[in-house]
Coordinates of all heavy atoms in Angstrom, one line a residue:
G133 N -24.3 21.0 -3.4 CA -25.7 20.9 -3.6 C -26.4 19.6 -3.4 O -27.6 19.4 -3.6
L134 N -25.6 18.6 -3.0 CA -26.1 17.3 -2.7 C -26.6 17.2 -1.2 O -26.0 17.8 -0.4 CB -25.1 16.2 -2.9 CG -24.5 16.1 -4.4 CD1 -23.5 14.9 -4.4 CD2 -25.6 15.9 -5.4
G135 N -27.6 16.4 -1.0 CA -28.0 16.1 0.3 C -27.1 15.0 0.9 O -26.2 14.5 0.2
E136 N -27.3 14.7 2.2 CA -26.4 13.8 2.9 C -26.4 12.4 2.2 O -25.4 11.8 2.0 CB -26.8 13.7 4.4 CG -25.9 12.9 5.2 CD -26.2 13.0 6.7 OE1 -26.8 13.9 7.1 OE2 -25.8 12.0 7.4
A137 N -27.6 11.9 1.9 CA -27.7 10.6 1.2 C -27.0 10.6 -0.1 O -26.3 9.7 -0.5 CB -29.1 10.1 1.2
Q138 N -27.3 11.7 -0.9 CA -26.7 11.8 -2.2 C -25.2 11.8 -2.2 O -24.5 11.3 -3.0 CB -27.2 13.0 -3.0 CG -28.7 12.9 -3.3 CD -29.2 14.2 -3.8 OE1 -29.0 15.3 -3.2 NE2 -30.0 14.2 -4.9
S139 N -24.7 12.6 -1.2 CA -23.2 12.7 -1.0 C -22.6 11.4 -0.6 O -21.6 11.0 -1.1 CB -23.0 13.8 0.1 OG -21.6 14.0 0.3
A140 N -23.3 10.6 0.3 CA -22.8 9.3 0.7 C -22.8 8.4 -0.6 O -21.9 7.6 -0.7 CB -23.7 8.7 1.8
D141 N -23.8 8.5 -1.4 CA -23.9 7.6 -2.6 C -22.7 8.0 -3.6 O -22.1 7.1 -4.2 CB -25.2 7.8 -3.3 CG -26.4 7.2 -2.6 OD1 -26.1 6.3 -1.7 OD2 -27.5 7.5 -3.0
L142 N -22.5 9.3 -3.7 CA -21.4 9.7 -4.6 C -20.0 9.1 -4.0 O -19.2 8.6 -4.8 CB -21.3 11.3 -4.6 CG -20.0 11.9 -5.3 CD1 -20.0 11.5 -6.7 CD2 -20.0 13.4 -5.1
N143 N -19.8 9.2 -2.7 CA -18.6 8.7 -2.1 C -18.5 7.2 -2.4 O -17.4 6.7 -2.7 CB -18.5 9.0 -0.6 CG -18.1 10.4 -0.3 OD1 -17.5 11.0 -1.1 ND2 -18.5 10.9 0.8
A144 N -19.6 6.5 -2.2 CA -19.6 5.0 -2.5 C -19.2 4.7 -3.9 O -18.4 3.8 -4.2 CB -20.9 4.4 -2.1
R145 N -19.8 5.4 -4.9 CA -19.5 5.2 -6.3 C -18.1 5.5 -6.6 O -17.4 4.8 -7.3 CB -20.4 6.0 -7.2 CG -21.9 5.5 -7.2 CD -22.7 6.2 -8.3 NE -22.7 7.7 -8.2 CZ -23.6 8.4 -7.4 NH1 -24.5 7.7 -6.7 NH2 -23.5 9.7 -7.4
L146 N -17.6 6.6 -6.0 CA -16.2 7.0 -6.2 C -15.2 5.9 -5.7 O -14.3 5.6 -6.3 CB -15.9 8.4 -5.6 CG -14.5 8.9 -5.7 CD1 -14.1 9.0 -7.2 CD2 -14.4 10.2 -5.0
V147 N -15.5 5.4 -4.5 CA -14.7 4.4 -3.9 C -14.6 3.2 -4.8 O -13.6 2.6 -5.0 CB -15.1 4.0 -2.4 CG1 -14.5 2.7 -2.0 CG2 -14.8 5.2 -1.5
L148 N -15.8 2.8 -5.3 CA -15.8 1.6 -6.1 C -15.1 1.8 -7.4 O -14.4 0.9 -7.9 CB -17.3 1.1 -6.3 CG -18.0 0.6 -5.1 CD1 -19.5 0.4 -5.4 CD2 -17.3 -0.6 -4.6
L149 N -15.2 3.0 -8.0 CA -14.5 3.3 -9.3 C -13.0 3.3 -9.0 O -12.2 2.7 -9.8 CB -15.0 4.6 -9.8 CG -16.3 4.6 -10.5 CD1 -16.8 6.1 -10.7 CD2 -16.3 3.8 -11.8
L150 N -12.6 3.9 -7.9 CA -11.1 3.9 -7.6 C -10.6 2.6 -7.3 O -9.5 2.2 -7.7 CB -10.9 4.9 -6.5 CG -11.1 6.4 -6.8 CD1 -11.0 7.3 -5.6 CD2 -10.2 6.9 -7.9
A151 N -11.4 1.8 -6.6 CA -11.0 0.4 -6.3 C -10.8 -0.4 -7.5 O -9.8 -1.2 -7.7 CB -12.0 -0.3 -5.3
N152 N -11.7 -0.2 -8.5 CA -11.6 -0.9 -9.8 C -10.3 -0.5 -10.5 O -9.7 -1.3 -11.2 CB -12.8 -0.7 -10.6 CG -12.9 -1.6 -11.8 OD1 -12.9 -2.8 -11.6 ND2 -13.0 -1.0 -13.0
Q153 N -10.0 0.8 -10.4 CA -8.8 1.3 -11.1 C -7.5 0.6 -10.5 O -6.6 0.3 -11.2 CB -8.7 2.8 -11.0 CG -9.7 3.5 -11.8 CD -9.5 3.2 -13.3 OE1 -8.4 3.4 -13.9 NE2 -10.6 2.8 -13.9
C154 N -7.6 0.5 -9.1 CA -6.4 -0.2 -8.5 C -6.4 -1.7 -8.9 O -5.3 -2.1 -9.3 CB -6.6 0.0 -6.9 SG -5.4 -1.0 -6.0
G155 N -7.5 -2.3 -8.7 CA -7.6 -3.7 -9.1 C -6.8 -4.8 -8.3 O -6.8 -5.9 -8.7
D156 N -6.2 -4.4 -7.3 CA -5.4 -5.3 -6.5 C -6.1 -5.6 -5.1 O -6.1 -4.7 -4.2 CB -4.0 -4.7 -6.2 CG -3.0 -5.6 -5.5 OD1 -3.4 -6.4 -4.6 OD2 -1.8 -5.6 -5.8
Q157 N -6.7 -6.8 -5.0 CA -7.5 -7.1 -3.8 C -6.7 -6.9 -2.5 O -7.2 -6.4 -1.6 CB -8.0 -8.5 -4.0 CG -8.8 -9.0 -2.8 CD -10.3 -8.8 -3.1 OE1 -10.7 -8.3 -4.1 NE2 -11.1 -9.1 -2.1
A158 N -5.4 -7.4 -2.5 CA -4.6 -7.3 -1.3 C -4.4 -5.8 -0.9 O -4.5 -5.5 0.3 CB -3.3 -8.0 -1.5
V159 N -4.1 -5.0 -1.9 CA -3.9 -3.6 -1.6 C -5.2 -3.0 -1.1 O -5.2 -2.2 -0.1 CB -3.4 -2.8 -2.8 CG1 -3.4 -1.3 -2.6 CG2 -2.0 -3.3 -3.2
L160 N -6.3 -3.3 -1.7 CA -7.6 -2.8 -1.3 C -8.0 -3.2 0.1 O -8.4 -2.3 0.9 CB -8.7 -3.2 -2.3 CG -8.6 -2.6 -3.7 CD1 -9.5 -3.4 -4.6 CD2 -8.8 -1.2 -3.7
L161 N -7.7 -4.4 0.5 CA -8.0 -4.9 1.8 C -7.1 -4.2 2.8 O -7.5 -3.8 3.9 CB -7.9 -6.4 1.9 CG -8.9 -7.2 1.1 CD1 -8.6 -8.7 1.2 CD2 -10.3 -6.8 1.5
A162 N -5.8 -3.9 2.5 CA -4.9 -3.2 3.3 C -5.4 -1.8 3.5 O -5.3 -1.2 4.6 CB -3.5 -3.2 2.8
C163 N -5.9 -1.2 2.5 CA -6.4 0.2 2.6 C -7.7 0.2 3.5 O -7.8 1.2 4.3 CB -6.8 0.7 1.2 SG -5.3 1.1 0.2
I164 N -8.5 -0.8 3.4 CA -9.7 -0.8 4.2 C -9.3 -0.9 5.7 O -9.8 -0.2 6.6 CB -10.6 -2.0 3.9 CG1 -11.3 -1.8 2.5 CG2 -11.7 -2.3 5.0 CD1 -12.0 -3.0 2.0
R165 N -8.3 -1.8 6.0 CA -7.8 -1.9 7.3 C -7.2 -0.6 7.8 O -7.4 -0.2 9.0 CB -6.8 -3.1 7.4 CG -7.4 -4.4 7.4 CD -6.5 -5.5 7.7 NE -5.3 -5.6 6.8 CZ -5.3 -6.2 5.6 NH1 -6.4 -6.9 5.3 NH2 -4.2 -6.2 4.9
A166 N -6.4 0.0 7.0 CA -5.7 1.3 7.4 C -6.8 2.4 7.7 O -6.7 3.1 8.6 CB -4.8 1.7 6.3
A167 N -7.8 2.5 6.8 CA -8.8 3.5 7.0 C -9.6 3.2 8.3 O -10.0 4.1 9.0 CB -9.7 3.5 5.8
A168 N -9.9 1.9 8.5 CA -10.7 1.6 9.7 C -9.9 1.9 11.0 O -10.5 2.1 12.1 CB -11.0 0.1 9.7
E169 N -8.6 1.9 10.9 CA -7.7 2.2 12.1 C -7.6 3.7 12.4 O -7.1 4.1 13.4 CB -6.3 1.6 11.9 CG -6.3 0.1 11.9 CD -5.0 -0.5 11.5 OE1 -4.0 0.3 11.3 OE2 -4.9 -1.7 11.5
D170 N -8.1 4.5 11.5 CA -8.0 6.0 11.6 C -8.7 6.4 12.9 O -9.9 6.1 13.1 CB -8.6 6.6 10.4 CG -8.5 8.2 10.5 OD1 -8.2 8.7 11.6 OD2 -8.8 8.8 9.5
P171 N -8.0 7.0 13.9 CA -8.7 7.3 15.1 C -9.9 8.3 15.0 O -10.7 8.3 15.9 CB -7.6 8.0 16.0 CG -6.5 8.3 15.0 CD -6.7 7.4 13.8
T172 N -9.9 9.0 13.9 CA -11.1 9.9 13.7 C -12.4 9.2 13.3 O -13.4 9.7 13.4 CB -10.8 11.0 12.6 OG1 -10.6 10.3 11.4 CG2 -9.6 11.8 12.9
T173 N -12.2 7.9 13.0 CA -13.4 7.1 12.6 C -13.7 6.0 13.7 O -14.7 5.3 13.6 CB -13.3 6.4 11.3 OG1 -12.2 5.5 11.3 CG2 -13.1 7.4 10.2

Side-chain angles (χ1 to χ4, degrees):
L134 298 181
E136 190 173 332
Q138 293 170 312
S139 185
D141 288 346
L142 171 62
N143 281 337
R145 289 190 304 274
L146 179 59
V147 165
L148 293 173
L149 287 167
L150 293 172
N152 191 57
Q153 290 299 306
C154 170
D156 186 324
Q157 181 94 2
V159 170
L160 293 169
L161 294 175
C163 289
I164 290 170
R165 286 190 299 273
E169 292 172 2
D170 182 346
T172 63
T173 61

